[in-house]
Amino acid sequence: MAMYTLTVKIDERILQMQSRDNLNIARKVNGTYTTSFHGAAVYPMGNTRPLLQVNQFQWTEEYSAFLAQDFHPGMQVTTTTQYQQIKPGQQTTFKGYMLSPAAPASDLPENTFVIRGVSSGLKAGVSCRTAGNYSPIFVDNQHGDGDKRVQLQNKFALFWDSQTGPGQMIDGGRIRNPYEFSFPEGKNEMTIRFGFQTPNQPGGGDGPWWYPEEGW
């Protein structure tokens, strides 16, 4: 399984501001962002890591399906089933309050799997492995039950939010000033800096922003 590493550097001048915003990372699934699956904060709480000048986030292309109670932005993801390992091109079925072992599925687009038999009132969800645990990257935000296709995308977003942290559901259409990026084909490491155009030197009326480092 491929492991991805994202290094996020923060200007020292930014850290000195002591902001209460949390750094969040979301992945686009089924065309939208529905959860924060990684993050850090100046004032960490719960499972949020402390925000440093150099922050390294890793995740593995190892997935598990689950069902969640509902989709509520701002709330922590709560599962109602076990985590069932699954790979793109496979399917799992909800039956007897459990998800069945994954099995091959036919006629699926690339990077897609299926969660079948989702009951009314429950939501299909997917997690990926991060540092030995599973973190939710998707909870279905659409109405309706039945079979749910889940398509993974090589698109991610970095954003700041004082009310959001890892494991929480989000409204992808209301993320404030997200920075979207993708891993170039054949690469699984990136470094992005947040700060001023010239590191640690505010000026020119421009506020801090995200800057990919050369060489990634």
Side-chain angles (χ1 to χ4, degrees):
M1 298 290 180
M3 174 178 287
Y4 287 80
T5 299
L6 174 66
T7 300
V8 179
K9 297 182 178 180
I10 309 294
D11 278 10
E12 185 178 2
R13 291 290 295 271
I14 299 297
L15 290 177
Q16 289 172 352
M17 295 177 183
Q18 296 289 294
S19 171
R20 291 191 175 275
D21 279 350
N22 301 324
L23 172 63
N24 289 275
I25 307 173
R27 181 170 186 174
K28 185 168 281 189
V29 180
N30 283 8
T32 190
Y33 299 107
T34 60
T35 69
S36 167
F37 79 99
H38 248 323
V42 173
Y43 301 98
M45 296 181 65
N47 60 348
T48 305
R49 293 163 41 178
L51 184 67
L52 308 173
Q53 279 190 264
V54 179
N55 307 271
Q56 192 173 83
F57 303 96
Q58 293 183 318
W59 60 92
T60 304
E61 295 283 86
E62 184 177 343
Y63 303 102
S64 62
F66 63 89
L67 295 185
Q69 289 183 349
D70 208 343
F71 179 79
H72 287 298
M75 300 294 289
Q76 205 74 14
V77 176
T78 302
T79 63
T80 60
T81 64
Q82 88 282 18
Y83 289 107
Q84 177 57 54
Q85 288 191 333
I86 194 168
K87 298 177 182 179
Q90 294 185 328
Q91 62 186 351
T92 180
T93 301
F94 180 58
K95 187 175 182 180
Y97 304 102
M98 296 186 66
L99 292 170
S100 67
S106 58
D107 301 323
L108 291 181
E110 187 178 6
N111 294 322
T112 302
F113 38 77
V114 182
I115 302 175
R116 301 193 182 279
V118 178
S119 299
S120 177
L122 297 180
K123 299 294 184 181
V126 174
S127 293
C128 74
R129 187 172 288 280
T130 58
N133 299 312
Y134 279 108
S135 297
I137 59 172
F138 171 76
V139 175
D140 189 14
N141 61 355
Q142 302 296 311
H143 296 291
D145 51 12
D147 298 344
K148 298 293 181 178
R149 286 191 176 191
V150 179
Q151 186 171 39
L152 308 169
Q153 295 175 248
N154 178 26
K155 290 185 180 295
F156 301 83
L158 287 161
F159 65 97
W160 300 96
D161 191 317
S162 63
Q163 303 299 314
T164 302
Q168 285 183 256
M169 291 171 275
I170 61 176
D171 182 343
R174 295 188 177 184
I175 297 176
R176 177 168 52 93
N177 298 323
Y179 176 78
E180 294 189 278
F181 65 95
S182 300
F183 284 86
E185 185 175 357
K187 293 191 175 183
N188 57 3
E189 295 185 5
M190 286 185 66
T191 298
I192 300 174
R193 180 179 62 85
F194 183 79
F196 302 99
Q197 187 169 8
T198 301
N200 293 309
Q201 295 185 25
D206 294 330
W209 191 240
W210 304 95
Y211 298 95
E213 293 206 337
E214 294 184 7
W216 62 263

